[in-house]
């Protein structure tokens, strides 16, 4: 059974940093297109960043210059480094294998003073 498990969320002050991780279990992870999404209260889920098997990345305009997506194929893990966090970044962050449609359960990120 393939699955994704997110971790690394928590409470952080504005301007702080967090690194999220997403551990995958499926075969052929190295060619999977992976993504991070987030959903804030009362809002629809939105795409934050994607990364391809060739390490090509894309970011939402709202996080460009602050967030970095990366992957470690040996560990079958995708990361989201989040810097200069803002209260508007508060959301549940989800990892997705866009090649298979599998989603993780999400990890809460709260940015507050």
């Amino acid at each position: 059974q393939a699955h994704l498990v997110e971790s690394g969320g928590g409470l952080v002050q504005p301007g702080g940093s967090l690194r999220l991780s997403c551990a995958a279990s499926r075969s052929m992870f190295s060619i999977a297109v992976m993504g991070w999404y987030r959903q804030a209260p009362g809002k629809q889920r939105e795409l934050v960043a994607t990364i391809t098997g060739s390490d090509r990345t894309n970011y939402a305009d709202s996080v460009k210059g602050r967030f970095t997506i990366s992957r470690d194929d040996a560990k079958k893990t995708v990361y989201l480094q989040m810097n200069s966090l803002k209260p508007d970044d508060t959301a549940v962050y989800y990892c997705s294998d866009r090649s298979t449609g599998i989603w993780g359960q999400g990890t809460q990120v709260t940015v507050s003073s």
Side-chain angles (χ1 to χ4, degrees):
Q1 180 181 346
H3 62 277
L4 301 171
V5 180
E6 301 99 332
S7 62
L11 175 64
V12 64
Q13 295 186 175
S17 298
L18 286 173
R19 189 176 75 158
L20 308 182
S21 63
C22 170
S25 64
R26 65 103 132 187
S27 62
M28 297 191 294
F29 174 81
S30 62
I31 64 171
V33 179
M34 304 296 296
W36 283 99
Y37 295 72
R38 67 186 182 186
Q39 186 168 21
K43 298 183 179 180
Q44 296 188 43
R45 188 173 298 184
E46 64 176 351
L47 179 65
V48 175
T50 60
I51 185 167
T52 70
S54 59
D55 292 330
R56 183 153 54 192
T57 59
N58 286 287
Y59 298 91
D61 288 341
S62 59
V63 307
K64 285 182 179 178
R66 300 188 298 120
F67 291 11
T68 302
I69 188 171
S70 62
R71 66 193 299 155
D72 185 336
D73 290 341
K75 298 181 179 179
K76 294 186 176 182
T77 301
V78 178
Y79 303 95
L80 185 68
Q81 178 67 46
M82 305 184 294
N83 299 325
S84 302
L85 284 162
K86 306 173 181 179
D88 285 349
D89 295 320
T90 297
V92 178
Y93 284 71
Y94 298 90
C95 179
S96 176
D97 183 338
R98 298 181 67 183
S99 300
T100 64
I102 296 174
W103 293 80
Q105 293 299 308
T107 185
Q108 176 71 49
V109 172
T110 302
V111 184
S112 176
S113 299

